[in-house]
Amino acid sequence: MEVAARYLGARPRTRWELERRLRRAGAEDAVVERTVERLTALGYLDDRAFSRWWAEQRDRHSPRGRRMVEAELRQHGVPREIIEELRGSELAEPTLDYHGLPASEDERALAALDRHLRGRPIPEDRKAVERIGMYLVRRGFNPETARRAIRTRREPA
């Protein structure tokens, strides 16, 4: 329990991450299971809450597309059914703008583009525009969303 408490003290974790950490620390399977069950019952271990937290952190600090956020959640061991639940709610198109966070995929793409450009205008060079578009695609946005974001930033205000 002590190892788990220290591990959870840094940031929220998924069940899979905690089980992996406890096994690496040499805990037996029965101890791992009891610890995970106890922490889940106490509310310290919740994959749904972790998924919401992770998506919010991405929107706040490093905007990514829905596909990229889902891939990151899978890497952290979030079960498929939880990701599918979230796909229909917060990750896909949140209904509320939570404390200035981007509320839609297009707004997240614009936020990522603004961070990338750091106040510079979008260049006129076609190759440079393609590189910016590929940057957004690598961040998990689909190509059409990337094109819309670039078009929006190119239009005079």
Side-chain angles (χ1 to χ4, degrees), residues 49-114:
F50 173 86
S51 299
R52 287 188 298 275
W53 174 83
W54 188 262
E56 180 184 323
Q57 292 302 306
R58 280 296 176 221
D59 283 346
R60 186 178 308 279
H61 301 293
S62 181
R64 307 261 168 103
R66 179 183 51 81
R67 292 180 312 163
M68 180 70 80
V69 172
E70 288 177 3
E72 290 174 345
L73 289 173
R74 281 191 300 275
Q75 288 174 345
H76 285 278
V78 175
R80 180 179 307 267
E81 56 272 3
I82 291 175
I83 293 173
E84 288 173 2
E85 282 176 27
L86 290 174
R87 184 179 295 145
S89 60
E90 291 112 51
L91 289 181
E93 295 292 330
T95 55
L96 297 175
D97 183 13
Y98 185 75
H99 299 291
L101 294 177
S104 69
E105 189 80 354
D106 286 342
E107 288 177 19
R108 283 195 287 278
L110 286 170
L113 181 59
D114 289 344

Side-chain angles (χ1 to χ4, degrees), residues 118-154:
R118 291 187 221 124
R120 298 178 308 234
I122 293 180
E124 294 299 319
D125 177 27
R126 183 171 170 255
K127 284 287 191 192
V129 172
E130 286 177 9
R131 280 194 301 273
I132 291 170
M134 290 310 299
Y135 165 79
L136 291 172
V137 169
R138 284 190 308 273
R139 303 286 290 187
F141 298 102
N142 66 44
E144 185 54 41
T145 302
R147 280 191 284 279
R148 278 195 307 269
I150 292 170
R151 252 185 265 124
T152 301
R153 283 299 171 247
R154 274 188 152 174

